Amino acid sequence: MLWVALHLPLLSLESFATTLAPLGEEAGPAPIALVDAHHIVSANDSAQSLGVKSGLKRATALALAPHIVLGQADALRDLQAITAVAHAALAFTPSVTLEPAGDPQAAPHTVLLEVHSSLRYFGGKRPLLRRLQSQLRPLGHRVHCATAPTAQGAALLARLPEAPEGRHAVDLAALNRLLDAAPVWLLGPGREHWEALQGMGLHCLSDLQGLPRSGLARRFGEPLLAEIDRARGLQPDPRTWISLPDRFESRLELFARADTTEQVLHGAAILLARLVAWAGAQHAQVRRFTLHMQHEPRHRRDTATPADSTLEIALAEPSRDIAHLLVLLRERLARLQLAAPTLELRLSCADIARGAPPNGELFPTAKSEREGLIRLVERLQARLGHEQVQRLSLVEDHRPECATAVERAEASLRASRVARPPPPAGPRRPVWLLAEPELLHERQLRPLLEGQPLQLLCGPERIETGWWDAALAERDYFIAQAGDGALVWIYRARLPSAGQGWFLQGRFG
């Protein structure tokens, strides 16, 4: 077996940082710390450089760093963040579990994957780890990755604060060598007895190796020895795999109210990254998702102002490209006027399309060009509105002014997925038609364009149609050449009611 452990040492801080409003690049990283029971439990590098560290009282931290951002530690927020990492891992193997899973007092900050059966598909361990890290990058977490033949061993190696000899063990012998140098406080029971173990000079796992097991069990309990045995592969270590929910839903409570759509987009970006991880776990593409914005009650204009607003994004072509989804959301938010400041965001999705992933061809193909056109139409629709993006479609009518119809671009794109037979070949016609036919002057029965006689090159093409809708047309069409060499499409009307003489209908490109 081959286990991959993903440990997130700054999970709580990073999940809290996503709730903050975006800062300018010139402002630099802000000092941030988390508080629980009026004591600092975690601080980032900027806060630690100012002297703030775990264990300090809240008042002391504010005295050291008056501008520090203090947030409340939130186990639910951490659980949502680690769940997104587990969903990203499910794209590589169905055997994924959280660590520690059986301790209700400890929040899971490590994800374990059993990937032995997936190595051949991904081309080996190194390519798999590279793709795994690439998949985790949009979530924005610092990740310690370790591999080992046992689940507990991989989890201990990933939790090492420093690993000068690496975090990867190819067999049990290499794993035992790396574990010998691991500090005892990494073990759950070891943290409980850390002071006693330190007083006895027992700092590393190798220090416990030569001591009598019965004495260690009496002094520190069986769980300490059991965890060591599971890490070294001396005891079985059964795990319970996590399962993927049928419907995606993730919340983000903002640290400060969002007054602008740009601030909303900053918070929604991390929710979109979690949505893409959830869809990637089942090899599906997102077809539709909804962003719910809960407004601050105190700043509603009146009772008619809704408590929350929803923004639904429907894609013409299913996708899980986070950059594309983010562009669509940005365009829609740019047209939205917030009813009131937003305090909480929620992203939900239940409409997905399962299927093979898109082909990553090297050279452009007709399919990739069509996908590019669809994305352009989606972006224009998000910016201008669905009704403002239109296209022409063919109508079975011989009259040029009735041969095309305007329809919504989205409907025509979906209809184009059905294979249609090619239209029958006919006389050559220009694409550029005038809105109304233009009457041409004549000289000795020859049509003139801008004072110059036209030379008839091809024709006539006779059209006699329209008797059923009282718009009868009887015309003889010609392709003519102007004095500057341009080709035009003209006709002579054959009905007195339609006017006498020559008319200009269109121009060739």
Side-chain angles (χ1 to χ4, degrees), residues 53 65 95-97 103 122 152 157 163-165 174 198 215 221 239 308 314 326 331 351 410 424 441 455:
K53 57 184 180 181
S95 307
V96 177
T97 184
D103 187 1
F122 290 98
Q152 194 64 37
L157 294 181
E165 298 184 7
Q198 196 174 21
R239 298 278 175 166
D308 55 6
L326 199 58
E331 298 291 352
D351 191 358
E410 181 183 8
H441 296 288
Q455 181 181 2

mmCIF file of all heavy atoms in Angstrom, residues 53 65 95-97 103 122 152 157 163-165 174 198 215 221 239 308 314 326 331 351 410 424 441 455:
data_model
loop_
_atom_site.group_PDB
_atom_site.id
_atom_site.type_symbol
_atom_site.label_atom_id
_atom_site.label_comp_id
_atom_site.label_asym_id
_atom_site.label_seq_id
_atom_site.Cartn_x
_atom_site.Cartn_y
_atom_site.Cartn_z
ATOM 1 N N LYS A 53 2.402 35.416 19.697
ATOM 2 C CA LYS A 53 2.557 33.969 19.556
ATOM 3 C C LYS A 53 1.456 33.267 20.338
ATOM 4 O O LYS A 53 0.716 33.890 21.131
ATOM 5 C CB LYS A 53 3.922 33.518 20.058
ATOM 6 C CG LYS A 53 4.200 33.902 21.499
ATOM 7 C CD LYS A 53 5.606 33.504 21.894
ATOM 8 C CE LYS A 53 5.899 33.887 23.345
ATOM 9 N NZ LYS A 53 7.276 33.524 23.741
ATOM 10 N N ALA A 65 0.800 44.491 19.017
ATOM 11 C CA ALA A 65 0.490 44.827 17.620
ATOM 12 C C ALA A 65 -0.907 45.464 17.585
ATOM 13 O O ALA A 65 -1.907 44.758 17.431
ATOM 14 C CB ALA A 65 0.541 43.583 16.742
ATOM 15 N N SER A 95 -10.237 6.127 -2.017
ATOM 16 C CA SER A 95 -9.836 5.796 -0.644
ATOM 17 C C SER A 95 -9.254 7.035 0.011
ATOM 18 O O SER A 95 -8.028 7.249 0.007
ATOM 19 C CB SER A 95 -8.821 4.647 -0.649
ATOM 20 O OG SER A 95 -9.329 3.548 -1.374
ATOM 21 N N VAL A 96 -10.107 7.891 0.541
ATOM 22 C CA VAL A 96 -9.682 9.146 1.172
ATOM 23 C C VAL A 96 -10.316 9.215 2.550
ATOM 24 O O VAL A 96 -11.508 8.905 2.724
ATOM 25 C CB VAL A 96 -10.115 10.357 0.325
ATOM 26 C CG1 VAL A 96 -9.742 11.656 1.025
ATOM 27 C CG2 VAL A 96 -9.476 10.301 -1.059
ATOM 28 N N THR A 97 -9.543 9.625 3.537
ATOM 29 C CA THR A 97 -10.038 9.762 4.903
ATOM 30 C C THR A 97 -9.366 10.952 5.565
ATOM 31 O O THR A 97 -8.343 11.453 5.082
ATOM 32 C CB THR A 97 -9.756 8.481 5.704
ATOM 33 O OG1 THR A 97 -10.323 8.595 7.003
ATOM 34 C CG2 THR A 97 -8.272 8.243 5.827
ATOM 35 N N ASP A 103 -11.035 11.217 16.969
ATOM 36 C CA ASP A 103 -10.923 12.063 18.155
ATOM 37 C C ASP A 103 -11.838 13.264 18.003
ATOM 38 O O ASP A 103 -11.560 14.182 17.226
ATOM 39 C CB ASP A 103 -9.468 12.521 18.330
ATOM 40 C CG ASP A 103 -9.275 13.271 19.641
ATOM 41 O OD1 ASP A 103 -10.264 13.410 20.397
ATOM 42 O OD2 ASP A 103 -8.144 13.697 19.917
ATOM 43 N N PHE A 122 -1.895 7.253 -13.375
ATOM 44 C CA PHE A 122 -1.296 8.586 -13.401
ATOM 45 C C PHE A 122 0.177 8.566 -13.790
ATOM 46 O O PHE A 122 0.818 9.604 -13.766
ATOM 47 C CB PHE A 122 -1.461 9.264 -12.035
ATOM 48 C CG PHE A 122 -2.879 9.652 -11.743
ATOM 49 C CD1 PHE A 122 -3.695 8.858 -10.969
ATOM 50 C CD2 PHE A 122 -3.420 10.812 -12.284
ATOM 51 C CE1 PHE A 122 -5.011 9.213 -10.705
ATOM 52 C CE2 PHE A 122 -4.730 11.180 -12.021
ATOM 53 C CZ PHE A 122 -5.535 10.373 -11.238
ATOM 54 N N GLN A 152 -0.765 5.873 9.315
ATOM 55 C CA GLN A 152 -0.319 6.650 10.465
ATOM 56 C C GLN A 152 1.099 7.149 10.265
ATOM 57 O O GLN A 152 1.443 8.268 10.685
ATOM 58 C CB GLN A 152 -0.405 5.786 11.727
ATOM 59 C CG GLN A 152 -0.293 6.560 13.022
ATOM 60 C CD GLN A 152 -1.443 7.528 13.202
ATOM 61 O OE1 GLN A 152 -2.575 7.221 12.839
ATOM 62 N NE2 GLN A 152 -1.157 8.694 13.738
ATOM 63 N N LEU A 157 4.793 11.766 9.315
ATOM 64 C CA LEU A 157 5.823 12.423 8.506
ATOM 65 C C LEU A 157 5.322 13.769 7.974
ATOM 66 O O LEU A 157 6.081 14.737 7.898
ATOM 67 C CB LEU A 157 6.226 11.522 7.335
ATOM 68 C CG LEU A 157 6.940 10.212 7.701
ATOM 69 C CD1 LEU A 157 7.297 9.445 6.440
ATOM 70 C CD2 LEU A 157 8.197 10.487 8.527
ATOM 71 N N ALA A 163 11.801 18.684 8.014
ATOM 72 C CA ALA A 163 12.143 17.341 7.538
ATOM 73 C C ALA A 163 13.416 17.397 6.704
ATOM 74 O O ALA A 163 13.365 17.419 5.472
ATOM 75 C CB ALA A 163 10.989 16.750 6.725
ATOM 76 N N PRO A 164 14.570 17.473 7.366
ATOM 77 C CA PRO A 164 15.818 17.545 6.589
ATOM 78 C C PRO A 164 16.073 16.284 5.768
ATOM 79 O O PRO A 164 16.763 16.353 4.740
ATOM 80 C CB PRO A 164 16.888 17.746 7.676
ATOM 81 C CG PRO A 164 16.267 17.246 8.934
ATOM 82 C CD PRO A 164 14.802 17.521 8.807
ATOM 83 N N GLU A 165 15.541 15.144 6.189
ATOM 84 C CA GLU A 165 15.742 13.898 5.432
ATOM 85 C C GLU A 165 14.548 13.563 4.553
ATOM 86 O O GLU A 165 14.465 12.455 4.018
ATOM 87 C CB GLU A 165 16.017 12.744 6.412
ATOM 88 C CG GLU A 165 17.287 12.954 7.246
ATOM 89 C CD GLU A 165 17.580 11.759 8.142
ATOM 90 O OE1 GLU A 165 16.861 10.745 8.006
ATOM 91 O OE2 GLU A 165 18.509 11.842 8.945
ATOM 92 N N ALA A 174 12.678 2.240 5.519
ATOM 93 C CA ALA A 174 12.907 3.681 5.400
ATOM 94 C C ALA A 174 11.953 4.463 6.295
ATOM 95 O O ALA A 174 12.334 5.487 6.890
ATOM 96 C CB ALA A 174 12.744 4.101 3.938
ATOM 97 N N GLN A 198 9.247 14.516 28.551
ATOM 98 C CA GLN A 198 10.414 15.405 28.435
ATOM 99 C C GLN A 198 11.269 15.346 29.700
ATOM 100 O O GLN A 198 12.500 15.378 29.638
ATOM 101 C CB GLN A 198 9.930 16.826 28.177
ATOM 102 C CG GLN A 198 10.998 17.770 27.664
ATOM 103 C CD GLN A 198 10.408 19.117 27.288
ATOM 104 O OE1 GLN A 198 9.329 19.478 27.756
ATOM 105 N NE2 GLN A 198 11.103 19.856 26.467
ATOM 106 N N GLY A 215 6.028 -1.412 30.824
ATOM 107 C CA GLY A 215 6.221 -0.223 31.653
ATOM 108 C C GLY A 215 5.656 1.020 30.987
ATOM 109 O O GLY A 215 5.023 1.859 31.647
ATOM 110 N N GLY A 221 -0.161 4.599 29.144
ATOM 111 C CA GLY A 221 -1.382 4.044 28.547
ATOM 112 C C GLY A 221 -1.119 3.288 27.250
ATOM 113 O O GLY A 221 -0.112 3.524 26.553
ATOM 114 N N ARG A 239 -9.529 2.090 8.167
ATOM 115 C CA ARG A 239 -9.995 3.475 8.007
ATOM 116 C C ARG A 239 -11.390 3.496 7.407
ATOM 117 O O ARG A 239 -11.799 2.561 6.705
ATOM 118 C CB ARG A 239 -9.042 4.247 7.078
ATOM 119 C CG ARG A 239 -7.623 4.346 7.611
ATOM 120 C CD ARG A 239 -7.501 5.456 8.612
ATOM 121 N NE ARG A 239 -6.176 5.490 9.228
ATOM 122 C CZ ARG A 239 -5.734 6.528 9.933
ATOM 123 N NH1 ARG A 239 -6.503 7.592 10.096
ATOM 124 N NH2 ARG A 239 -4.544 6.503 10.486
ATOM 125 N N ASP A 308 -31.911 38.222 1.589
ATOM 126 C CA ASP A 308 -30.767 37.698 0.831
ATOM 127 C C ASP A 308 -31.078 37.806 -0.655
ATOM 128 O O ASP A 308 -32.231 37.952 -1.073
ATOM 129 C CB ASP A 308 -30.444 36.259 1.229
ATOM 130 C CG ASP A 308 -31.651 35.344 1.084
ATOM 131 O OD1 ASP A 308 -32.675 35.820 0.574
ATOM 132 O OD2 ASP A 308 -31.562 34.193 1.483
ATOM 133 N N ALA A 314 -25.919 30.108 -15.367
ATOM 134 C CA ALA A 314 -26.146 28.923 -16.205
ATOM 135 C C ALA A 314 -25.178 28.967 -17.374
ATOM 136 O O ALA A 314 -25.053 29.996 -18.057
ATOM 137 C CB ALA A 314 -27.585 28.893 -16.700
ATOM 138 N N LEU A 326 -15.025 32.066 -12.916
ATOM 139 C CA LEU A 326 -14.794 33.327 -12.208
ATOM 140 C C LEU A 326 -15.077 34.524 -13.112
ATOM 141 O O LEU A 326 -15.619 35.545 -12.656
ATOM 142 C CB LEU A 326 -13.352 33.358 -11.698
ATOM 143 C CG LEU A 326 -13.035 34.341 -10.579
ATOM 144 C CD1 LEU A 326 -13.918 34.081 -9.376
ATOM 145 C CD2 LEU A 326 -11.572 34.235 -10.176
ATOM 146 N N GLU A 331 -18.544 39.137 -14.398
ATOM 147 C CA GLU A 331 -19.377 39.916 -15.321
ATOM 148 C C GLU A 331 -20.792 40.086 -14.784
ATOM 149 O O GLU A 331 -21.383 41.162 -14.908
ATOM 150 C CB GLU A 331 -19.419 39.217 -16.689
ATOM 151 C CG GLU A 331 -18.061 39.094 -17.364
ATOM 152 C CD GLU A 331 -17.514 40.436 -17.821
ATOM 153 O OE1 GLU A 331 -18.261 41.436 -17.740
ATOM 154 O OE2 GLU A 331 -16.350 40.495 -18.237
ATOM 155 N N ASP A 351 -26.579 20.886 -10.424
ATOM 156 C CA ASP A 351 -26.741 20.612 -11.858
ATOM 157 C C ASP A 351 -25.358 20.448 -12.470
ATOM 158 O O ASP A 351 -24.646 21.436 -12.711
ATOM 159 C CB ASP A 351 -27.496 21.775 -12.511
ATOM 160 C CG ASP A 351 -27.937 21.436 -13.920
ATOM 161 O OD1 ASP A 351 -27.620 20.325 -14.395
ATOM 162 O OD2 ASP A 351 -28.592 22.279 -14.548
ATOM 163 N N GLU A 410 -27.767 31.818 -27.363
ATOM 164 C CA GLU A 410 -27.690 30.616 -26.536
ATOM 165 C C GLU A 410 -28.529 29.500 -27.144
ATOM 166 O O GLU A 410 -28.077 28.365 -27.272
ATOM 167 C CB GLU A 410 -28.198 30.923 -25.138
ATOM 168 C CG GLU A 410 -28.130 29.724 -24.211
ATOM 169 C CD GLU A 410 -28.710 30.051 -22.841
ATOM 170 O OE1 GLU A 410 -29.287 31.130 -22.685
ATOM 171 O OE2 GLU A 410 -28.585 29.211 -21.952
ATOM 172 N N PRO A 424 -28.527 22.712 -49.313
ATOM 173 C CA PRO A 424 -28.218 22.398 -50.715
ATOM 174 C C PRO A 424 -27.480 23.564 -51.365
ATOM 175 O O PRO A 424 -27.707 24.732 -51.054
ATOM 176 C CB PRO A 424 -29.605 22.175 -51.320
ATOM 177 C CG PRO A 424 -30.549 22.914 -50.420
ATOM 178 C CD PRO A 424 -29.964 22.814 -49.050
ATOM 179 N N HIS A 441 -29.878 54.311 -60.518
ATOM 180 C CA HIS A 441 -30.147 55.082 -61.728
ATOM 181 C C HIS A 441 -29.800 54.230 -62.942
ATOM 182 O O HIS A 441 -29.015 53.274 -62.854
ATOM 183 C CB HIS A 441 -29.342 56.382 -61.717
ATOM 184 C CG HIS A 441 -29.750 57.310 -60.598
ATOM 185 N ND1 HIS A 441 -30.944 57.989 -60.593
ATOM 186 C CD2 HIS A 441 -29.114 57.648 -59.430
ATOM 187 C CE1 HIS A 441 -31.038 58.712 -59.489
ATOM 188 N NE2 HIS A 441 -29.916 58.519 -58.749
ATOM 189 N N GLN A 455 -21.320 46.266 -64.850
ATOM 190 C CA GLN A 455 -21.189 45.216 -65.862
ATOM 191 C C GLN A 455 -21.787 43.924 -65.310
ATOM 192 O O GLN A 455 -21.356 43.431 -64.268
ATOM 193 C CB GLN A 455 -19.709 44.995 -66.214
ATOM 194 C CG GLN A 455 -19.522 43.924 -67.280
ATOM 195 C CD GLN A 455 -18.054 43.688 -67.601
ATOM 196 O OE1 GLN A 455 -17.171 44.326 -66.981
ATOM 197 N NE2 GLN A 455 -17.797 42.802 -68.536
#
